[in-house]
């Protein structure tokens, strides 16, 4: 902030400048003058500054109003007239003030969300020291911008139920997916499940977050999820003929990569899924989810677990594109991940998916992985 003397010297010239730029500069100048002595302002002087600031702000426009909101955000006693004025502006204008001001307590902020709807929730979601009460209130708005702001606020005390709410909204909101993936307090099962939504937008970042989850962490997270009533699915069986076909091919040592590629190319999906299951121990529902995951990272994990060659994976992912073309960067990331992901991590992640989406037991999934490695 410039010294009071220099700002007063600027004031005379700014008062004679009727341009939008001049009005914005005038608003910034008067805001600085107020802040330079706000701690010793009398109530009358504060009210007078408030009237002046509001009059200038009306002429200065929304960008200048937002700048004033940011400047006043850390003032303990902003002029009430200015506060009322800012709270009547669009949410993006008031956001810097709402994110920082100590002049509004939880009750006032809660009432503000009630009276202004969702427009101000995003600014409030950015506050440091955000209370659990306000977190719940912001989540109930369902406002896209507010949810992203809340997820980006690593100081916000999010609990398991809050992450579940955000996870449910994430599929349609790439920015929310990115914000969640970057949180270090993301519950283990949410991190694993989130990859199914974040893969197309975040690629390797989503995979790395899922791979960072340990078996113990996931087991504890699933217990916590069960305690709040998270429903688990049941493993989906393959059609009898397809399952018998896969067993027969396996027993004859004919269950090879070319066969899996041919089945997918021919559209023989029942046999394809049954053979993929025989190689990776995944049920039909999880197999279908893997093929439907648009980024290709889920299929990449399955192919690594099955010990497929890079060329086989490349062919499978291309056959499964369903007309969607990946960019050069996306293809590079996908193939790079295939080359660097180790088989054991791929098996472990498949076991996690079984637990979360097919209802298998975690110990069984890990035992199956150990058996595959031993063989």
């Amino acid at each position: 902030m410039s010294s009071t003397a220099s700002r007063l010297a600027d004031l005379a010239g700014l008062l004679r400048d009727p341009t939008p730029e001049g009005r914005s500069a005038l608003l910034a100048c008067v805001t600085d003058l107020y802040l330079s002595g706000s701690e010793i302002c009398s109530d009358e002087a504060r009210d007078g500054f408030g009237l002046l600031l509001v009059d200038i702000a009306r002429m200065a426009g929304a960008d200048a109003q937002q700048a004033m909101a940011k400047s006043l955000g850390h003032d303990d006693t902003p002029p009430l007239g200015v506060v009322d004025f800012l709270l009547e502006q669009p949410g993006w204008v008031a956001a810097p003030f709402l994110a920082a001001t100590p002049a509004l307590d939880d009750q006032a902020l809660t009432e503000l969300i009630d009276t202004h709807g969702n427009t101000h929730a995003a600014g409030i979601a950015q506050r440091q020291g955000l209370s659990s009460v306000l977190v719940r209130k912001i989540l109930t708005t369902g406002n896209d911008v507010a949810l992203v702001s809340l997820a980006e606020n690593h100081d916000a005390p999010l609990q398991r139920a809050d992450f579940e709410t955000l996870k449910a909204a994430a599929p349609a909101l790439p920015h929310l997916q990115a914000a969640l993936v970057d949180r270090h307090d993301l519950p283990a099962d949410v991190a694993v499940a989130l990859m199914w939504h974040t893969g197309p937008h975040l690629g390797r970042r989503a995979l790395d977050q899922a791979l960072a989850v340990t078996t113990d962490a996931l087991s504890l997270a699933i217990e916590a999820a069960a305690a709040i009533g998270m429903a688990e699915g049941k493993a989906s069986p393959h059609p009898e003929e397809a399952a018998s076909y896969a067993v027969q091919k396996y027993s004859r040592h004919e269950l090879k990569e070319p066969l899996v590629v041919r089945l997918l190319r021919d559209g023989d999906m029942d046999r394809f899924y049954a053979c993929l299951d025989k190689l990776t121990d995944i049920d039909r529902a999880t197999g279908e989810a893997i093929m439907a995951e648009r980024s290709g990272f889920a299929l990449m994990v399955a192919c690594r677990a099955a010990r497929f060659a890079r060329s086989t994976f490349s062919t499978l992912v291309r056959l499964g594109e369903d007309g969607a073309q990946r960019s050069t960067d996306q293809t590079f990331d996908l193939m790079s991940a295939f080359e660097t992901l180790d088989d054991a991590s791929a098996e472990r992640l498949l076991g996690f998916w079984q637990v979360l989406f097919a209802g298998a037991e975690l110990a069984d999934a890990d035992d199956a992985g150990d058996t595959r490695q031993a063989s």
Side-chain angles (χ1 to χ4, degrees):
M1 186 186 300
S2 302
S3 68
T4 301
S6 64
R7 296 308 266 159
L8 285 171
D10 295 337
L11 192 58
L14 292 173
L15 287 170
R16 293 192 295 268
D17 186 350
T19 65
E21 294 78 13
R23 295 305 182 193
S24 295
L26 178 61
L27 182 61
C29 180
V30 176
T31 302
D32 277 357
L33 286 171
Y34 167 73
L35 290 173
S36 68
S38 65
E39 294 180 356
I40 58 173
C41 260
S42 65
D43 291 341
E44 292 79 4
R46 184 172 287 106
D47 291 343
F49 263 108
L51 292 172
L52 180 58
L53 286 169
V54 169
D55 285 344
I56 301 172
R58 294 187 191 280
M59 296 184 290
D63 288 337
Q65 293 165 8
Q66 185 190 51
M68 178 181 68
K70 184 176 182 179
S71 296
L72 293 174
H74 296 283
D75 187 58
D76 290 335
T77 54
L80 293 179
V82 177
V83 174
D84 292 340
F85 171 80
L86 287 175
L87 298 185
E88 292 298 330
Q89 305 314 305
W92 69 272
V93 173
F97 181 77
L98 294 170
T101 181
L104 299 173
D105 59 16
D106 280 7
Q107 181 177 349
L109 292 168
T110 300
E111 292 174 355
L112 188 61
I113 295 175
D114 287 333
T115 56
H116 289 264
N118 301 331
T119 58
H120 289 49
I124 297 171
Q126 300 170 32
R127 293 177 69 89
Q128 297 300 298
L130 199 66
S131 70
S132 297
V133 172
L134 282 173
V135 168
R136 303 291 104 67
K137 189 66 178 180
I138 293 165
L139 286 171
T140 61
T141 68
N143 179 263
D144 293 352
V145 180
L147 295 182
V148 173
S149 295
L150 187 63
E152 290 177 341
N153 183 357
H154 289 211
D155 188 58
L158 299 182
Q159 299 177 9
R160 157 162 292 282
D162 305 329
F163 279 112
E164 291 291 342
T165 300
L166 292 171
K167 184 186 73 173
L173 301 173
H175 291 298
L176 177 56
Q177 298 169 16
L180 286 173
V181 164
D182 287 339
R183 289 193 68 105
H184 299 298
D185 55 348
L186 195 65
D189 59 315
V190 176
V192 174
L194 198 62
M195 179 187 156
W196 293 83
H197 308 306
T198 59
H201 306 289
L202 303 178
R204 188 61 186 266
R205 283 172 59 196
L207 175 66
D208 289 344
Q209 177 74 297
L211 288 172
V213 175
T214 66
T215 300
D216 289 343
L218 184 68
S219 181
L220 291 173
I222 291 170
E223 290 179 10
I228 62 171
M230 184 186 80
E232 288 187 357
K234 298 301 180 183
S236 302
H238 300 282
E240 184 176 347
E241 186 279 331
S244 298
Y245 175 86
V247 170
Q248 183 183 69
K249 290 295 183 182
Y250 183 81
S251 64
R252 295 177 179 177
H253 304 287
E254 297 174 353
L255 188 48
K256 307 292 185 181
E257 294 172 44
L259 173 62
V260 177
V261 170
R262 178 175 62 80
L263 292 171
L264 181 58
R265 180 179 287 118
D266 294 345
D268 192 347
M269 302 309 293
D270 285 341
R271 290 180 173 181
F272 168 77
Y273 285 123
C275 288
L276 190 63
D277 182 353
K278 193 65 179 174
L279 291 168
T280 58
D281 286 339
I282 56 175
D283 70 313
R284 176 64 180 259
T286 308
E288 289 178 343
I290 286 172
M291 294 305 297
E293 196 276 308
R294 293 177 298 159
S295 76
F297 277 91
L299 179 59
M300 182 273 294
V301 171
C303 287
R304 285 296 300 185
R307 310 296 200 275
F308 286 169
R310 184 181 189 277
S311 59
T312 301
F313 165 60
S314 178
T315 302
L316 290 174
V317 77
R318 188 170 63 252
L319 290 173
E321 281 181 342
D322 194 25
Q325 294 296 319
R326 291 180 178 84
S327 69
T328 301
D329 288 343
Q330 289 172 327
T331 301
F332 176 81
D333 287 343
L334 193 56
M335 294 305 165
S336 175
F338 179 84
E339 292 172 350
T340 56
L341 178 63
D342 64 280
D343 300 334
S345 294
E347 291 174 353
R348 183 167 61 92
L349 192 50
L350 277 180
F352 288 178
W353 290 342
Q354 285 284 88
V355 173
L356 294 173
F357 304 128
E361 294 293 333
L362 184 61
D364 291 345
D366 286 339
D367 290 344
D370 294 339
T371 301
R372 287 194 295 273
Q373 294 180 60
S375 62

